[in-house]
Amino acid sequence: MPRHRFLVGVAVLSLLAAACQPSASGSPTESATGGPTGSYLERAEAGEFDGTSVQILAQWIDAEGDNFEANLTAFAERTGIDVQYEGVTDYESYLIRQVDADQAPDIAQIAQPGRMREFQGEGKLINLSEFIDTAAFEANFPSFVDLVTVDGGIYGIPYKADLKSIVWYPNAAFEDAGYTIPETWDDLVALTDEIRGTGVTPWCTSIEHGDATGWVATDWIEDILLRTAPPETYDAWVNHEIAFNDPAVLHAADLMAEIWFTEGNVYGGSTAINNTFVGDTQNPMFAEGGPDCFFHKQASWIYTFWPGYVAATETEPAVVENEPGVDSSFFYFPPIDPEFGSPVLGAGDMFMMFNDRDEVRAVIEFLATPEAAESWIATGSFVSPNLAVPEEWYSVYPASGLAEILRTATVLKFDASDLMPAEVGQRSFWDGMVDWVAADGANTEDVFAEIEASWP
């Protein structure tokens, strides 16, 4: 089995199978001197670490940050541990600076297994298998085990899974125009042409995201490659067993360029693509006078960035305008070559532990439980890779709407750029996409050759 077995396979099972998994709390500790016993989480629940504090750093801000913090509140109140959460933009560079300056947070989120492995190689991470219940971990996160295991040790707690192969649209305007959901790539291109012919821009797309600018474009390349080449080619590309600029990859780029760089296809053209914040991409889709663009290919969490969205608080429910499942919906990013079925691209977030204290171990064990994500799951914007999450928790769209896509998926693959070495997956690939967009795709071979040359 390749090392990047796919986490969304876990999400599929989490959504579709009746979960009956062992507890994810940590393994029992023992005291030779009659000291405290039980897992670190159990000891925290008993109040042993009352008055201590634990720092958590992640990239989740705004509604996502609020949703994550909501999961921590009850735990902090029960245990007396002051869990200090910080969500930051420019997350990648900020985290690296903190680690390099020996000021790493106690716990940090990471979306790139490749970067996690680099931190492990530098001796920065705590080996979680020294204290967590590894049997429960392997039972609850079977498809993640390879991703977070290095030299026999476990260095990450899987927390969040994302499905990327979907396209959002505004329901009422779409139906009023008489459009139908495209079921093939040719349907999608034809509908794109039809909408452009009415004088409306078909696509909302942008890639500006601070020091992570470019990642949206890499998702497009990966999703198209999965639809135009065998999964073995995708795996070989991730592992550099074929060149980054292999003809199969260039073909994927050419198909993407037809959508992105045909004049009138994308709102604001290439300048807007490179300079519009990812969280604002969809705003023209909800323009007061009707959509200024119709399609937005983005993961299921994006609706928390819809205009007017306000995250739930301890006392108030979320305010959701352009409600998913009612005013906005998504369809499956359609297949291209029937030979390669209906693949799905996804990604995930994990937690790493930098500082080893008892209360930090307790929080890590808590993050491995279903309860650590319960309130976020309830919003409908969150899918857990934890098989112990009860199926009935997924009752709200869009999480509930992902089930059919996952049920019929023929191939499930993890985000390639997150698996590649950080110098490529989180730098030259992202930067190359910015250069490619700036040139309206006129420099495809040069850009992909430069990325190939950057491979360490």
Side-chain angles (χ1 to χ4, degrees):
M1 185 72 90
R3 70 178 176 86
H4 51 282
R5 289 185 306 181
F6 185 56
L7 79 157
V8 174
V10 177
V12 175
L13 297 175
S14 185
L15 286 165
L16 305 179
C20 185
Q21 300 297 322
S23 167
S25 61
S27 58
T29 57
E30 297 180 356
S31 172
T33 59
T37 60
S39 71
Y40 291 94
L41 178 56
E42 290 168 341
R43 292 165 58 187
E45 297 281 2
E48 183 177 337
F49 309 130
D50 186 3
T52 62
S53 64
V54 174
Q55 302 168 315
I56 301 180
L57 181 69
Q59 67 184 24
W60 302 311
I61 61 172
D62 299 331
E64 287 195 304
D66 293 340
N67 287 331
F68 177 60
E69 282 197 275
N71 290 306
L72 303 175
T73 300
F75 171 80
E77 291 176 350
R78 288 197 311 273
T79 62
I81 298 175
D82 179 15
V83 182
Q84 302 171 355
Y85 173 65
E86 182 181 12
V88 297
T89 56
D90 294 336
Y91 181 75
E92 294 291 327
S93 58
Y94 182 82
L95 176 60
I96 291 171
R97 287 197 302 272
Q98 293 295 100
V99 173
D100 288 346
D102 291 328
Q103 297 178 346
D106 296 320
I107 296 170
Q109 164 260 343
I110 195 78
Q112 296 83 25
R115 178 72 74 185
M116 183 204 72
R117 290 170 183 272
E118 291 183 9
F119 285 140
Q120 189 277 337
E122 295 167 1
K124 303 292 187 181
L125 300 183
I126 304 301
N127 182 355
L128 309 182
S129 57
E130 293 180 352
F131 65 92
I132 66 170
D133 184 339
T134 54
F137 179 86
E138 292 174 0
N140 291 340
F141 304 98
S143 295
F144 252 105
V145 171
D146 287 352
L147 285 172
V148 299
T149 299
V150 184
D151 297 334
I154 295 171
Y155 291 91
I157 294 293
Y159 182 74
K160 184 174 183 287
D162 287 317
L163 176 66
K164 300 192 171 192
S165 302
I166 57 176
V167 179
W168 290 86
Y169 63 96
N171 285 14
F174 189 86
E175 293 171 4
D176 289 347
Y179 300 141
T180 56
I181 300 299
E183 296 184 356
T184 68
W185 180 260
D186 289 344
D187 290 345
L188 182 65
V189 171
L191 183 54
T192 296
D193 293 343
E194 181 181 351
I195 294 173
R196 190 182 66 248
T198 68
V200 177
T201 306
W203 287 89
C204 314
T205 297
S206 71
I207 65 174
E208 195 285 315
H209 199 170
D211 63 1
T213 295
W215 66 265
V216 175
T218 69
D219 284 356
W220 273 75
I221 294 285
E222 295 159 12
D223 242 332
I224 294 175
L225 180 61
L226 283 173
R227 286 158 174 74
T228 54
E232 291 80 8
T233 298
Y234 185 91
D235 294 341
W237 182 54
V238 168
N239 296 318
H240 207 217
E241 295 164 358
I242 61 173
F244 189 93
N245 55 343
D246 184 87
V249 182
L250 297 180
H251 177 55
D254 288 342
L255 290 175
M256 176 177 161
E258 292 178 12
I259 296 288
W260 282 45
F261 305 129
T262 295
E263 186 173 356
N265 265 8
V266 176
Y267 186 82
S270 295
T271 299
I273 294 174
N274 266 350
N275 293 284
T276 303
F277 172 52
V278 168
D280 294 335
T281 306
Q282 67 287 327
N283 290 353
M285 194 165 76
F286 300 115
E288 188 173 345
D292 288 329
C293 50
F294 265 90
F295 299 140
H296 181 24
K297 181 183 179 299
Q298 189 50 272
S300 53
W301 50 262
I302 189 61
Y303 87 85
T304 61
F305 286 86
W306 279 183
Y309 180 89
V310 179
T313 67
E314 291 184 49
T315 57
E316 299 292 334
V319 176
V320 184
E321 296 184 13
N322 308 298
E323 184 177 355
V326 178
D327 305 309
S328 57
S329 296
F330 56 77
F331 59 81
Y332 170 68
F333 190 53
I336 299 177
D337 188 333
E339 177 182 355
F340 304 117
S342 300
V344 168
L345 179 71
D349 295 282
M350 297 148 281
F351 283 110
M352 308 171 291
M353 180 172 163
F354 286 93
N355 300 314
D356 195 5
R357 305 191 305 277
D358 288 354
E359 61 271 22
V360 183
R361 291 187 174 200
V363 174
I364 277 287
E365 290 182 351
F366 171 69
L367 291 170
T369 67
E371 291 74 19
E374 184 174 5
S375 62
W376 201 347
I377 292 172
T379 68
S381 64
F382 187 99
V383 175
S384 172
N386 191 337
L387 285 182
V389 172
E391 181 185 3
E392 58 269 22
W393 286 13
Y394 295 105
S395 60
V396 179
Y397 194 90
S400 60
L402 302 176
E404 182 61 24
I405 292 174
L406 294 168
R407 199 178 279 124
T408 58
T410 56
V411 174
L412 304 165
K413 288 294 180 184
F414 197 94
D415 187 310
S417 61
D418 289 345
L419 292 169
M420 293 173 177
E423 300 97 315
V424 179
Q426 291 92 63
R427 197 67 285 145
S428 62
F429 196 2
W430 289 350
D431 292 344
M433 292 298 94
V434 174
D435 295 340
W436 189 52
V437 170
D440 289 329
N443 53 355
T444 303
E445 293 191 4
D446 291 341
V447 165
F448 282 75
E450 289 175 7
I451 301 171
E452 163 62 19
S454 73
W455 200 286

